[in-house]
Amino acid sequence: MAEEAASDEERLQRGLELSFVYLNRRERSEREVRAQLERKGVSADTADACLAELTSQGYVDDSRYALMFVHDKRELEGWGSERIRRGLAERGIGRDRIEAALADHATHWAGGESELDRALALLARRFPTPPRERRERERALGALIRKGFASDLALDALTAYARGS
């Protein structure tokens, strides 16, 4: 029995070591850490134990991960809320945490800038003059949608930009 416990302890230690190497590069979601452990041949039970330990020690925190993701994608890559939601959902973050992170970012970090303001700023950077031709308007709309702005907001932004607002 003691040998079996030692074996479990060794497996846990190996899993934690692999996790720390993976977490050392950047913040990760629980799903990402679990997938990495599986790729490295760690059993599901050991992965569960590793994640329980990493979570209790604060090394893995999906809420913190979601907030950092929102901030990075908004500020560095100019993503809209829809694309951010998709990206976080793909990484295993639950809807409640996603919405909380978006709200927290809007409250504390966005500096009063709305989603429409960000869409208008993107249009101003990509299209120095408001698009007049149909093809140009379609390109502008496509650029906003690819960045993750909702289609109705993208249309509103395009209309406001054309009016000079």
Side-chain angles (χ1 to χ4, degrees):
M1 191 79 163
E3 182 180 328
E4 186 178 322
S7 176
D8 286 346
E9 183 63 32
E10 290 171 0
R11 283 194 294 269
L12 176 62
Q13 189 59 39
R14 179 178 176 269
L16 288 171
E17 289 170 4
L18 291 168
S19 297
F20 285 129
V21 168
Y22 189 58
L23 289 167
N24 192 36
R25 295 186 189 115
R26 68 172 175 83
E27 189 80 19
R28 306 285 182 164
S29 72
E30 185 175 323
R31 181 186 281 176
E32 290 174 318
V33 174
R34 182 180 303 282
Q36 175 68 3
L37 290 172
E38 288 173 5
R39 283 190 295 274
K40 295 293 185 175
V42 174
S43 73
D45 289 343
T46 302
D48 288 342
C50 287
L51 283 164
E53 182 67 22
L54 292 167
T55 301
S56 74
Q57 296 294 321
Y59 291 108
V60 175
D61 181 339
D62 279 356
S63 294
R64 182 180 65 224
Y65 175 86
L67 186 57
M68 292 176 75
F69 186 93
V70 168
H71 182 71
D72 288 351
K73 298 307 179 188
R74 277 248 199 269
E75 305 303 321
L76 301 176
E77 298 186 38
W79 284 14
S81 294
E82 294 304 310
R83 188 168 179 190
I84 290 171
R85 282 184 183 97
R86 284 192 309 269
L88 285 169
E90 289 168 1
R91 288 160 179 81
I93 306 300
R95 181 176 295 171
D96 291 345
R97 283 192 173 135
I98 293 170
E99 295 308 321
L102 285 166
D104 193 0
H105 182 271
T107 302
H108 297 104
W109 295 359
E113 187 179 51
S114 71
E115 187 98 344
L116 180 62
D117 293 334
R118 284 188 290 280
L120 287 168
L122 174 68
L123 286 172
R125 279 192 312 276
R126 299 275 307 270
F127 302 90
T129 60
R132 301 282 179 223
E133 302 290 321
R134 180 173 178 248
R135 185 177 171 107
E136 276 282 301
R137 285 193 308 272
E138 288 173 357
R139 282 186 52 232
L141 186 62
L144 289 169
I145 290 172
R146 279 189 301 280
K147 277 292 188 178
F149 292 97
S151 56
D152 57 341
L153 185 123
L155 287 169
D156 291 347
L158 195 53
T159 301
Y161 190 54
R163 282 192 311 238
S165 300

